Amino acid sequence: MYHCGPTVYQRPHIGNYRAFLFADLLRRVLELADLKVTQIMNLTDVGHLVDDAEEGDDKLEAQARKDKLDPWQIVEKVSAQFFEDMNALGVQPAHAYPRATDHIEEMVEMVEKLIEMKHAYRVGDNVYFDVHSFPSYGRLSGNRIEDLEAGARLEVNDEKKHPADFALWKSDEHHLMKWDTVFGPHGFPGWHIECSAMARKFLGDHFDIHTGGEDNVFPHHECEIAQSESALNGPFVNLWMHTKFLQVDGGKMGKSLGNAYTLDDLAERGFSALDYRFLMMRGSYRNSLNFTWEALKGAAEARRNLNDFRSRLLGEGGEPEEMNLESLGAESAVAKARVAFRKALADDLNTSESLAALFVLRNAYVHGELDAAEYPVALALLAEADSVFGFFDSIESGGLSDQEIDQLIQERGEARAAKDFARADAIRDELTAAKITLEDTPDGVKWFRG
Ligand code: AMP
Ligand code: ZN
């Protein structure tokens, strides 16, 4: 599967990460079903214009001018930040993260083929796709060419044969990131052709799943289909899946809208990346989700409850055991939870219901209704759940969450200040046992796991 990744001009915000967490979830669920997944996510580092429209600045170049930096420096800085965030969010690395600027050759080849096949035409050093040459244009988004051309949304551009045609290759001598190709000396790719060319290179002409956020449906994915199916003369993608927006006050959260939070904003308020991950698992990718601090707080608490549940089972039940459903009996609480957990995931990734199954099991435990003989299999179920949700704290850290560790460190500082060294040492020992290493630095105490 192929996922539209970040445009690396600014650190992705938590809305972008909703789309990327969905991609990660999808992979994990498919792998739980024993399917072999090849997962590709691109980095858009050129050609994505402000507004997604045909005209306007390249997002990267606009940012470069604003920051008085080289666009390539911005690409490096933001990409590094992106990978750091993905790691903090517990995302399994995709098999490749191709960058658009590393695949110019593949794009040019595809554009040349489209010209040859009369699906595209040159006007000077620019190349446009002729939407009328692709009768099923609009199949994905429902946007018919006639309606588009009648609408006011399209930029007026005298070069195009039809207003709805879109750019495959653009030329601009003032562009900072540009390539000397058969189309001229100062060219750069259109955003849509990037994904068509990279998907083809890594996954072949025809592959299973393509994802993105809901704003990618049109024009981005509609145009990808037109280009790829025309150039390859056959089907492109079997299944399109789009994540609905993370919203703020009922509207889209967006980098350019100034209402976007980063993972640092969350950390400042005491929430970890995994708390955010948990919050995302509470909703369905099919529904937009309004971000509030209250909802995040609820998610953090619920995550802590599940972590505590697992820690207590580990304390009382020892090691997780290989899941053996037959030996459990259908009436066992764990067997029921597992059936409900899997059934919900198989129902279009209904994560909130599969989570609910885990809480039913936890509640049985809390009310003393879970047979101690079932603790090892309950742990096995939680391990299976973790393989899908990935929001548990690592077992090596004694199941301590980031907040709990911060809290303990703060208490240790207070104990030291009050000269209660016995208490301070006891806390240090507790953290050491949980494999948390402390480092006293001039900026305060730093800690890391392992
Ligand atoms: P961009 O960096 O703008 O190219 O966006 C990267 C990905 O994040 C795309 O798949 C977008 O559709 C997605 N995206 C952008 N904003 C949001 C949002 N508020 N909620 C969910 N996904 C988003
Ligand atoms: Zn894309």
Side-chain angles (χ1 to χ4, degrees), residues 274 307 310-311 314 319-320 379 383 386 392-402 404-405 408 428-437 447-450:
L274 293 185
N307 257 315
R310 192 187 58 169
S311 302
L314 276 171
E319 297 294 311
L379 279 167
D386 196 28
F392 283 108
D393 293 316
S394 75
I395 290 185
E396 291 71 38
S397 308
L400 286 177
S401 67
D402 290 0
E404 285 161 338
I405 295 167
L408 283 168
R428 174 154 224 149
D429 290 347
E430 185 182 340
L431 290 167
T432 309
K435 293 208 171 66
I436 305 296
T437 309
W447 61 266
F448 48 93
R449 297 177 193 272

Side-chain angles (χ1 to χ4, degrees), residues 2 4 42 191 195 210 220-221 224:
Y2 183 94
C4 285
N42 77 292
W191 173 38
C195 285
H210 193 318
H220 190 45
H221 291 164
E224 273 188 53

Side-chain angles (χ1 to χ4, degrees), residues 361-382:
L361 188 64
R362 176 184 172 272
N363 290 344
Y365 168 81
V366 170
H367 295 121
E369 292 157 9
L370 186 64
D371 193 324
E374 287 199 61
Y375 290 179
V377 272
L379 279 167
L381 174 60
L382 293 184

Side-chain angles (χ1 to χ4, degrees), residues 4-7 13 15-16 19-20 48 212-213 215-216 244-246 252-253 255:
C4 285
T7 304
H13 56 72
N16 299 126
F20 308 150
H48 192 172
D215 56 340
N216 286 161
K244 283 284 191 317
F245 281 147
L246 183 73
K252 179 190 175 184
M253 178 182 286
K255 278 182 266 209

Side-chain angles (χ1 to χ4, degrees), residues 326-392:
E326 270 111 81
S327 73
L328 281 179
E331 281 316 298
S332 110
V334 178
K336 280 191 198 154
R338 187 181 193 246
V339 168
F341 163 77
R342 286 203 163 210
K343 201 170 152 208
L345 286 180
D347 181 13
D348 199 13
L349 304 158
N350 189 339
T351 44
S352 69
E353 222 172 287
S354 65
L355 266 179
L358 303 181
F359 278 99
V360 169
L361 188 64
R362 176 184 172 272
N363 290 344
Y365 168 81
V366 170
H367 295 121
E369 292 157 9
L370 186 64
D371 193 324
E374 287 199 61
Y375 290 179
V377 272
L379 279 167
L381 174 60
L382 293 184
E384 184 171 291
D386 196 28
S387 76
V388 172
F389 293 129
F391 51 52
F392 283 108

Side-chain angles (χ1 to χ4, degrees), residues 269 271 279 282 290-301:
R269 300 226 193 173
F271 297 107
L279 179 64
R282 282 191 143 180
N290 200 44
F291 177 78
T292 64
W293 292 105
E294 212 37 52
L296 183 58
K297 188 162 165 254
E301 273 164 19

Side-chain angles (χ1 to χ4, degrees), residues 13-34:
H13 56 72
I14 58 174
N16 299 126
Y17 287 119
R18 179 176 205 212
F20 308 150
L21 283 168
F22 169 69
D24 185 54
L25 171 75
L26 183 57
R27 168 175 173 183
R28 288 164 176 260
V29 171
L30 294 174
E31 286 180 342
L32 182 69
D34 285 333

